[in-house]
């Protein structure tokens, strides 16, 4: 039996589709999906990648919860490429798993492969990110955050703190936005929720916006270029902590003080982000909960048992100021 300690190996594996089964005893013809053998549920999970602290915590939660629930997990890491996820899903269909779960790297382009799963009689659960499809019979449920709400929460803080955020005091709050992966639900929705909310205040404007692909390196690179091309940046709005942390490096390298000379708002609230918030380098974080594993396993059990499940399960989340982060940082698990 292989163990679930394979994030790095799995990251390489999907290219060759050497998918790794773990945590259980059955596979292929012996598993529950084959109609005979034991009752162990086999789940094929197609993860986005390992792009951020959020993703690492999410993967850990899924692997731990599968083990706890006695669900055999076949896990793959798509390295943020849609074609790798499609290959992984096709392979799960071929293996005749009991249930497929995945976190779609981008919103569109899934109908064909989801139809293949449907025709094979394998239920699909979306987790973390949504697909943009007219046909909602292609999946059983979508478990994850409300990303529009997260963007709105980021915007609300800025509207409430517009005066202090006009760092250069010129009457305009100039925001540069570090977008997540182009075409990904959280990038689209976090931009939309933010834009709609800051529209209520004429002084706030997004003056530049580019993707940093949800990575620290991406955030650093894009911020360096913004610092060269944009005058009077007051605020960075980063679609995740990792890009915000990359921006901090770029701001410091340019001889400025992040959190003071330029205010920073991010989304996620993973440990490194929370530490930067406590240290005063980030000003506000909107939480996005990565610990989806327990709910995912519960939904999988229900779906495999043929039970009705809610079509949408929304994760509960909060927000953190610097003071609020200081209170909880010690207990933060991820
Ligand atoms: O915010 C980001 C990650 O899909 C909610 O993906 C997730 C996002 C998360 O890379 O850090």
């Amino acid at each position: 039996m292989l163990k679930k300690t394979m994030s790095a190996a799995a990251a390489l594996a999907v290219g060759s589709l050497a998918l790794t089964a773990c945590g259980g005893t059955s596979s292929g013809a012996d598993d529950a999906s084959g109609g005979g053998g034991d009752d162990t549920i086999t789940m094929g999970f197609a993860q986005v990648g390992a792009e951020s602290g959020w993703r690492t915590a999410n993967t850990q939660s899924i692997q731990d919860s599968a083990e706890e629930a006695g669900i055999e997990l076949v896990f793959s890491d798509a390295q943020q490429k849609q074609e790798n996820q499609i290959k992984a899903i096709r392979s799960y269909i071929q293996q005749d798993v009991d249930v497929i779960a995945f976190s779609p790297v981008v919103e569109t382009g899934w109908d064909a492969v989801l139809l293949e799963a449907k025709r094979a009689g394998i239920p699909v659960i979306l987790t973390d990110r949504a697909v943009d499809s007219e046909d909602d019979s292609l999946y059983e449920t979508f478990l994850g955050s409300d990303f529009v709400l997260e963007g709105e929460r980021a915007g609300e803080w800025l509207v409430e703190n517009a005066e202090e955020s006009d760092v250069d005091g010129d009457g305009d709050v100039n925001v540069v936005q570090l977008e997540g992966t182009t075409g990904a639900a959280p990038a689209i929705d976090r931009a939309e929720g933010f834009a709609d909310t800051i529209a209520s205040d004429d002084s706030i404007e997004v003056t530049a916006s580019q993707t940093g692909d949800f990575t620290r390196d991406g955030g650093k690179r894009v911020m360096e270029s913004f610092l060269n091309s944009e005058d009077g940046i007051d605020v960075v709005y980063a679609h995740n902590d990792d890009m915000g942390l990359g921006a901090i490096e770029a701001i410091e390298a340019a001889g400025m003080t992040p959190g003071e000379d330029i205010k920073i708002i991010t989304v996620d609230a993973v440990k490194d982000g929370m530490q930067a918030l406590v240290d005063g380098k980030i000003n506000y974080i909107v939480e996005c909960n990565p610990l989806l594993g327990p709910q995912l396993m519960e939904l999988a059990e229900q779906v495999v048992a043929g039970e009705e499940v809610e079509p949408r399960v929304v994760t509960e989340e909060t927000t953190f100021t610097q003071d609020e982060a200081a209170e909880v940082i010690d207990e933060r698990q991820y």
Side-chain angles (χ1 to χ4, degrees):
M1 183 177 75
L2 293 160
K3 261 299 214 181
K4 292 196 218 36
T5 49
M6 65 243 201
S7 318
L12 301 169
V14 76
S16 58
L17 277 185
L19 303 171
T20 315
C22 50
T25 50
S26 69
S27 69
D30 283 339
D31 74 20
S33 67
D38 61 45
D39 291 334
T40 306
I41 294 173
T42 303
M43 170 188 285
F45 188 92
Q47 181 60 292
V48 168
E51 74 282 3
S52 63
W54 190 99
R55 190 65 53 198
T56 307
N58 178 247
T59 293
Q60 191 67 54
S61 169
I62 286 157
Q63 292 177 336
D64 291 350
S65 312
E67 186 151 12
E68 190 123 314
I71 290 179
E72 181 177 350
L73 188 67
V74 192
F75 182 91
S76 64
D77 172 333
Q79 299 181 293
Q80 301 223 74
K81 293 202 173 67
Q82 181 171 33
E83 64 263 32
N84 289 344
Q85 281 194 309
I86 291 175
K87 274 187 213 160
I89 293 168
R90 291 218 163 101
S91 150
Y92 298 150
I93 296 171
Q94 242 168 21
Q95 293 170 54
D96 197 20
V97 298
D98 298 301
V99 56
I100 292 171
F102 82 114
S103 181
V105 59
V106 291
E107 272 190 346
T108 55
W110 299 101
D111 284 31
V113 72
L114 293 182
L115 199 59
E116 289 168 35
K118 190 179 172 184
R119 292 204 172 119
I122 302 175
V124 172
I125 299 176
L126 302 180
T127 167
D128 159 32
R129 297 185 184 178
V131 298
D132 183 1
S133 168
E134 307 253 292
D135 184 356
D136 59 12
S137 78
L138 294 175
Y139 54 91
E140 304 293 320
T141 181
F142 165 39
L143 162 68
S145 310
D146 181 341
F147 300 133
V148 175
L149 180 64
E150 291 172 351
E152 287 169 357
R153 286 175 170 165
E156 274 159 23
W157 183 86
L158 189 55
V159 170
E160 275 160 32
N161 295 275
E163 229 177 278
E164 305 88 290
S165 299
D166 176 15
V167 180
D168 59 11
D170 67 354
D172 294 320
V173 182
N174 292 332
V175 183
V176 294
Q177 177 169 244
L178 300 174
E179 300 164 24
T181 302
T182 305
I188 295 167
D189 294 352
R190 286 172 186 167
E192 184 192 310
F194 185 76
D196 287 351
T197 307
I198 60 165
S200 68
D201 185 331
D202 287 345
S203 72
I204 305 172
E205 201 193 334
V206 176
T207 54
S209 185
Q210 251 182 59
T211 182
D213 214 12
F214 280 131
T215 66
R216 212 171 280 212
D217 278 0
K220 185 174 178 205
R221 199 173 12 85
V222 175
M223 192 62 206
E224 279 165 0
S225 90
F226 284 162
L227 287 167
N228 285 326
S229 63
E230 300 297 312
D231 286 331
I233 300 173
D234 296 301
V235 176
V236 173
Y237 168 43
H239 288 181
N240 77 344
D241 288 348
D242 281 85
M243 291 190 295
L245 292 163
I248 288 172
E249 288 177 35
I251 292 167
E252 285 176 339
M256 285 183 277
T257 308
E260 286 178 27
D261 297 334
I262 296 181
K263 306 279 180 188
I264 304 181
I265 307 166
T266 66
V267 185
D268 273 356
V270 294
K271 190 105 182 185
D272 289 356
M274 292 289 271
Q275 188 59 57
L277 185 59
V278 171
D279 295 345
K281 297 182 178 190
I282 293 179
N283 302 81
Y284 193 61
I285 302 186
V286 177
E287 185 184 38
C288 179
N289 186 358
L291 306 181
L292 303 178
Q295 274 172 299
L296 174 61
M297 299 311 147
E298 208 175 299
L299 287 166
E301 280 164 353
Q302 290 167 343
V303 160
V304 171
E307 291 167 23
E308 282 275 315
V309 293
E310 292 291 326
R312 176 77 173 100
V313 182
V314 186
T315 327
E316 277 194 26
E317 285 151 358
T318 184
T319 56
F320 295 100
T321 60
Q322 292 173 338
D323 289 346
E324 286 162 347
E327 277 169 34
V328 299
I329 185 92
D330 290 342
E331 297 109 65
R332 203 74 181 164
Q333 301 292 314
Y334 56 87

